[in-house]
């Protein structure tokens, strides 16, 4: 990469007039409605020929004011709101919220419920990474020799996952299955066998994906593209697979176990490449690891109650007293955190302030550091490799 | 909080009560505390959350920051700063580039200004939006709410 772009990679606010352009600079707006922006997102690109000099992200097109809205809702009413943040992994978003309120109240979740949560979270991780893989390869156009072929294969397995979730929760996408203190729905008869059969199919499918994706074009387009150092990733607050692809061996599932992760061994996938290819490697390895963890969890799934007492149905039965705290779990995209201040309206039945920490917003911040010096065609590769979900960025 | 960090914090910030889950820190110590934590290995910038606390003596604001060490056990430190009716606080952007967008979001929604921020403009709402929605005196049916 040409060193004249280095100041822009180090500091996205570096003044543009210090750049000696070879030709006239051109301004290109990518988005808000561009097929590869995974939602509604605008990227302002300053181009010198085909090379990006500066990239400025603009967001907020999907802002729904959730943090304001929940200040008027009781704790039992919020779960269906939270699973629409990151609409690709609703399950883990519900869990992040449930864990936050349970921690604030000091509620212990029954062991079986913790296992069910872990199982659902791992299946959700596979579904989420499958959608990432399909859109990532789709963004690269004919990288696998034919448009949407990869997407069709991925969605075949993703449909199976929706069937599994539907059997448990009655809903294919917005589940609303977590309540404060446990689960709303127990696993139905024969579900565990269905999951085992799915895992066998999924394991075979990985090899199929690799046969589609392993080619020189894919390597050329991803290796050395969007290199993010570990220091930059940590400073930006990037977590999850993107952080592990920068060589940082950190995963909340292993390092700060929640749910039932303390009862299974989690082998964390780490790659040292720091580029788009490393992020691909980490996510592929994570899907295989999820299959392994799921088999272990299904083997040792305990019997027992799934909720501490009766599921909370009274609108203001849950009251969080005045106090503040931060809790986080590891979702498919990284750390989903909740900053909760209790003691809101109606004697604490509503939160005073609830802030969601979306991993995707931190990932979006990396765009302006990674893009200078790359060509326009690399934008979709870098954006796709970071796997942002705009619903979560804007909330 | 491990012993080395506790010692370092007690030596540098004697006025701060280290037994709280969320440390209460004077505004002047906000930036030095973040710098010290970064030196101690708390390099993962987790989040910043501002909130509005209206009271009989006028408005108060709180800005909470969380940093984490990316190692086994995932230790984190959270602290909050209480600000008066004209809330402004030193930006952490020079230490953590992730503060850029995060602080802009809090500026936008709560209206806390961050001194030394390189680009202090709204993030989520449009530039000509009036008011800060997450303040307690802002309601969606306010007469001047600019629905377009």
């Amino acid at each position: 990469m040409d060193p004249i772009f280095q100041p822009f990679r180090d500091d996205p606010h570096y003044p543009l007039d210090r750049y000696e352009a070879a030709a006239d600079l051109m301004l290109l707006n990518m988005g808000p409605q561009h097929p590869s922006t995974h939602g509604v997102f605008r990227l302002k690109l300053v181009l010198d020929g085909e090379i990006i000099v500066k990239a400025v992200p603009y967001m907020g097109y999907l802002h729904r004011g959730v943090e304001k809205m929940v200040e008027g809702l009781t704790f039992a009413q919020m779960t269906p709101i939270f699973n629409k943040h990151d609409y690709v992994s609703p399950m883990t978003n519900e869990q992040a919220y449930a864990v936050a309120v349970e921690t604030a109240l000091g509620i212990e979740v029954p062991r079986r419920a913790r296992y069910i949560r872990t199982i659902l979270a791992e299946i959700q991780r596979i579904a989420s990474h499958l959608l990432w893989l399909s859109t990532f390869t789709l963004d690269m156009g004919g990288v696998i020799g034919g448009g949407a072929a990869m997407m069709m294969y991925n969605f075949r397995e993703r449909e199976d996952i929706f069937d599994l979730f539907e059997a448990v929760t009655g809903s294919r996408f917005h589940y609303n299955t977590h309540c404060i203190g446990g689960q709303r729905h127990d696993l139905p008869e024969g579900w565990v066998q269905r999951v085992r059969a799915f895992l066998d199919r999924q394991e075979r499918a990985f090899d199929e994906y690799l046969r589609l994706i392993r080619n020189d074009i894919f390597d050329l387009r991803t290796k050395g593209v969007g290199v993010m150092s570990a220091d930059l990733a940590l400073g930006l607050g990037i977590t999850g697979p993107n952080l592990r692809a920068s060589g940082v061996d950190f995963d909340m599932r292993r390092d700060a176990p929640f749910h039932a992760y303390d009862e299974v061994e989690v082998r964390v996938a780490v790659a040292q490449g720091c580029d788009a290819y490393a992020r691909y490697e980490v996510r592929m390895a994570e899907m295989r690891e999820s299959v392994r963890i799921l088999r272990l969890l299904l083997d040792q799934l305990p019997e027992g109650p799934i909720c501490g007492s009766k599921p909370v149905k009274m609108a203001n039965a849950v009251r969080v007293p005045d106090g503040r705290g931060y809790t986080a779990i590891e979702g498919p995209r990284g750390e989903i955190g909740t900053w909760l201040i209790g003691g809101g309206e109606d004697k604490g039945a509503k939160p005073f302030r609830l802030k969601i920490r979306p991993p995707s917003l931190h990932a979006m911040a990396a765009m302006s550091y990674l893009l200078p010096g790359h060509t326009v065609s690399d934008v979709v590769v870098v954006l796709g490799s970071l796997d942002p979900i705009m619903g979560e960025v804007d909330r | 909080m491990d012993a080395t960090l506790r010692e370092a914090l007690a030596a540098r910030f004697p006025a701060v009560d280290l037994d709280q889950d969320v440390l209460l820190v004077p505004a002047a110590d906000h930036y030095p505390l973040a710098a010290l934590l970064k030196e101690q290995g708390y390099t993962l910038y987790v989040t910043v959350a501002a909130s509005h606390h209206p009271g009989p003596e006028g408005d108060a604001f709180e800005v909470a920051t969380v940093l984490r060490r990316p190692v086994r056990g995932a230790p984190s430190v959270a602290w909050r700063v209480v600000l008066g009716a004209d809330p402004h606080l030193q930006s952490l952007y020079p230490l953590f580039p992730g503060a850029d967008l995060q602080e802009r979001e809090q500026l936008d929604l709560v209206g806390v200004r961050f001194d030394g921020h390189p680009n202090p403009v709204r993030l989520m709402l449009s530039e000509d939006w009036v008011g800060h929605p997450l303040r307690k005196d802002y309601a969606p049916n306010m007469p001047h709410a600019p629905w377009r």
Side-chain angles (χ1 to χ4, degrees), chain A residues 11 13 59-60 68 71 234-235 237 250 254-255 324 326 335 339 352-353 355 357 361-362 369 393 395, chain B residues 43 45-48 50 52 62 64 68 72-73 80 97-98 100 102 105-106 123-124 133 135-136 138:
Chain A
D11 175 17
H13 302 290
M59 45 204 67
K68 182 71 177 176
E71 287 177 11
L234 289 167
F250 178 68
R254 181 197 62 193
D255 297 328
R324 38 186 69 63
Y326 177 78
E335 180 174 337
W339 171 257
F352 187 84
R353 171 88 166 91
K355 192 214 184 238
R357 179 216 190 264
L361 177 55
H362 290 261
Y369 290 86
V393 172
R395 286 158 290 143
Chain B
T43 46
Y45 180 78
V46 178
T47 195
V48 55
H52 177 212
E62 249 185 51
R68 195 187 287 289
R72 289 278 172 130
R80 64 192 173 108
D100 188 350
Q102 298 296 315
E105 188 189 349
Q106 300 310 308
L123 181 71
M124 293 294 170
R135 291 196 178 186
K136 293 290 174 185
Y138 183 101

Side-chain angles (χ1 to χ4, degrees), chain B residues 33 45 52 54 58 61 63 70-71 89 99 113 115 121 127 141 148:
Chain B
L33 175 63
Y45 180 78
H52 177 212
F61 290 84
V63 178
V71 294
L89 189 65
R113 286 179 292 116
D115 304 328
V121 294
E127 282 163 27
N141 54 1
R148 282 183 293 266

Side-chain angles (χ1 to χ4, degrees), chain A residues 198-376:
Chain A
F198 159 74
L199 292 178
D200 294 340
R201 285 201 301 280
Q202 181 65 57
E203 202 158 44
R204 283 196 300 276
F206 287 136
D207 301 330
E208 215 169 51
Y209 302 159
L210 286 186
R211 282 204 294 279
L212 273 165
I213 208 171
R214 296 301 307 142
N215 59 47
D216 293 347
I217 304 171
F218 181 80
D219 286 7
L220 286 169
R221 291 213 59 187
T222 52
K223 283 187 179 165
V225 172
V227 176
M228 175 160 59
S229 69
D231 282 347
L232 175 65
L234 289 167
L236 286 170
I238 283 167
T239 44
N242 293 335
L243 181 65
R244 294 191 279 278
S246 291
V248 181
D249 186 7
F250 178 68
D251 189 327
M252 302 268 285
R253 290 181 291 165
R254 181 197 62 193
D255 297 328
F258 48 95
H259 301 342
Y261 284 111
D262 50 348
E263 298 186 29
V264 286
E265 184 209 359
V266 180
R267 295 179 195 156
V268 178
V270 183
Q272 306 294 335
C274 307
D275 54 1
Y277 187 80
R279 296 193 270 278
Y280 151 81
E281 280 182 315
V282 168
R283 288 206 176 82
M284 293 303 274
E286 272 190 10
M287 281 197 275
R288 286 183 190 270
E289 173 62 12
S290 289
V291 170
R292 195 188 67 84
I293 295 176
L294 275 167
R295 290 209 173 107
L296 288 177
L297 288 166
L298 293 174
D299 284 344
Q300 37 180 297
L301 180 68
E303 292 297 321
I306 56 161
C307 206
S309 58
K310 281 184 182 168
V312 176
K313 287 192 178 127
M314 292 275 290
N316 45 14
V318 180
R319 290 178 199 272
V320 177
D322 196 6
R324 38 186 69 63
Y326 177 78
T327 45
I329 66 167
E330 178 94 17
R333 280 172 190 75
E335 180 174 337
I336 311 173
T338 314
W339 171 257
L340 176 63
I341 304 183
E345 282 174 42
D346 208 359
K347 294 179 195 146
K350 296 167 181 174
F352 187 84
R353 171 88 166 91
L354 198 154
K355 192 214 184 238
I356 299 112
R357 179 216 190 264
S360 293
L361 177 55
H362 290 261
M364 293 315 296
M367 290 296 282
S368 35
Y369 290 86
L370 302 188
L371 286 179
H374 283 306
T375 58
V376 177

